Amino acid sequence: MTDPSFERFGEYELIQRLGVGGMAETFEALRRGPSGFQQRVCLKRILPSLQTEPGFVELFLREARLSALLHHAHIAQLLDFGAIDDRYYLALELIDGIDLRCVLSYAHARGTRIPAPLVAHIAYAVGSALDFAHSASDDSVPKGIVHRDVSPSNILLSVEGEVKLADFGIATSMDVQNSLASGTLKGKIPYMAPEYALGGRFDARSDLFALGVTLYECLAGTRPFDGDSDLLTLDNARRGVRAPLCELAPEAPAPLIVAVESLLAPEPRDRAAQAGRFLETLGELRLVGPIRRKLAALVH
């Protein structure tokens, strides 16, 4: 029996609110259809206070257009898009699990770290997702979608051991003007590539830098460039000031350490130019079957 407190939104029942950001809110929702059909989704809709603001509406529409190009096993899928009572929404694949930030917090609270084989599994999955996004095309016209917010809170882990990159809300195509006006940076400072944070320039290598920070945090239990303020953090990233990963995670395989550290170079030209190159450096560290089961156990 449907709880009468559930909010109806078109053909969707909003079961519980999952989160709210600067532009939109997300819900676990249920979509019903004929003959007992039902589908659980993550419904994302623009905030009521912004639904008449052209700039925010255009950002939301851009997210929908870019998400429609991203059909990949390690990317949370777009299922539906539309407007109800002039309020735009996206229906996205609902991942039954938690995000990587929760796992890091869990490990930190217990004085442990994520095992290196699981980190390698996550690295390969997110690297594969970025490789696909960076080479995405629309009617054979290259788009090259840069996520711009690769971080633990946007990496989802399911109870089945799946890894999904989510939230392309501030993603943009590499065919747009590759510079940003002062004050329009989007993303999280500790994971932000120096060329983006300090110069507004971005490309695929900016996403790879953010992935490197995330993987370093998974292995070491701390972020590489954290300072006492955002300015110090950015300065550390610009100068490449950090502890060697081999000192903080001596148990990690050398190929994994080399692969992660290769993404953290301050200069974009010194990083892998493409996610595919990063995947090659991971070598044979990826053992899908047993590792996926171990990740599923950790999520449970």
Side-chain angles (χ1 to χ4, degrees):
M1 186 176 215
T2 301
D3 186 331
S5 66
F6 288 172
E7 179 185 344
R8 295 290 308 185
F9 185 68
E11 61 181 330
Y12 295 95
E13 295 176 7
L14 306 186
I15 299 173
Q16 62 174 327
R17 196 184 207 187
L18 299 176
V20 60
M23 183 176 69
E25 57 187 345
T26 56
F27 297 86
E28 178 184 348
L30 188 64
R31 180 186 188 183
R32 297 185 187 275
S35 303
F37 169 84
Q38 60 181 32
Q39 181 183 37
R40 291 171 65 239
V41 303
C42 173
L43 190 135
K44 181 176 184 177
R45 65 182 182 183
I46 196 164
L47 292 171
S49 58
L50 301 176
Q51 62 187 5
T52 59
E53 296 289 335
F56 286 98
V57 171
E58 177 52 36
L59 282 174
F60 201 79
L61 295 176
R62 184 177 68 184
E63 179 181 359
R65 289 192 294 267
L66 294 180
S67 296
L69 302 176
L70 299 173
H71 300 282
H72 189 271
H74 295 299
I75 295 177
Q77 298 296 289
L78 174 67
L79 304 175
D80 187 22
F81 167 70
I84 297 172
D85 296 328
D86 296 323
R87 192 169 180 187
Y88 287 102
Y89 72 90
L90 301 170
L92 301 158
E93 178 183 10
L94 181 67
I95 309 302
D96 187 10
I98 55 178
D99 62 39
L100 181 57
R101 169 57 53 208
C102 290
V103 177
L104 286 168
S105 297
Y106 178 90
H108 179 74
R110 286 156 182 76
T112 61
R113 298 176 189 167
I114 302 174
L118 296 187
V119 178
H121 178 60
I122 293 168
Y124 193 91
V126 180
S128 298
L130 290 176
D131 189 42
F132 184 87
H134 293 162
S135 58
S137 62
D138 185 9
D139 293 331
S140 300
V141 178
K143 286 290 184 183
I145 298 170
V146 183
H147 189 284
R148 292 203 294 166
D149 195 17
V150 176
S151 59
S153 59
N154 287 331
I155 296 172
L156 307 181
L157 311 174
S158 83
V159 294
E160 301 297 330
E162 302 165 294
V163 181
K164 302 269 186 174
L165 180 61
D167 198 352
F168 281 77
I170 65 170
T172 192
S173 172
M174 283 188 278
D175 64 359
V176 303
Q177 178 67 36
N178 196 350
S179 64
L180 297 172
S182 177
T184 61
L185 290 176
K186 305 290 186 181
K188 303 175 183 70
I189 293 293
Y191 304 91
M192 202 173 282
E195 70 275 8
Y196 178 50
L198 302 173
R201 296 176 291 111
F202 58 86
D203 60 17
R205 295 168 296 185
S206 308
D207 277 349
L208 292 175
F209 182 91
L211 176 59
V213 174
T214 298
L215 298 174
Y216 183 108
E217 183 179 5
C218 288
L219 291 169
T222 184
R223 291 188 291 251
F225 304 112
D226 275 7
D228 293 334
S229 68
D230 285 347
L231 286 177
L232 287 176
T233 296
L234 292 175
D235 188 58
N236 288 339
R238 178 184 63 82
R239 295 185 294 122
V241 176
R242 59 177 175 80
L245 188 52
C246 61
E247 294 181 3
L248 299 181
E251 73 288 350
L256 180 58
I257 289 177
V258 170
V260 171
E261 292 199 320
S262 72
L263 303 183
L264 297 175
E267 290 293 334
R269 65 174 177 268
D270 295 327
R271 298 175 217 143
Q274 301 163 341
R277 190 70 57 84
F278 165 68
L279 297 177
E280 291 174 4
T281 65
L282 289 176
E284 298 180 357
L285 292 170
R286 180 179 174 243
L287 303 172
V288 177
I291 294 302
R292 180 166 165 172
R293 286 193 291 274
K294 288 181 180 179
L295 180 59
L298 176 61
V299 172
H300 273 293

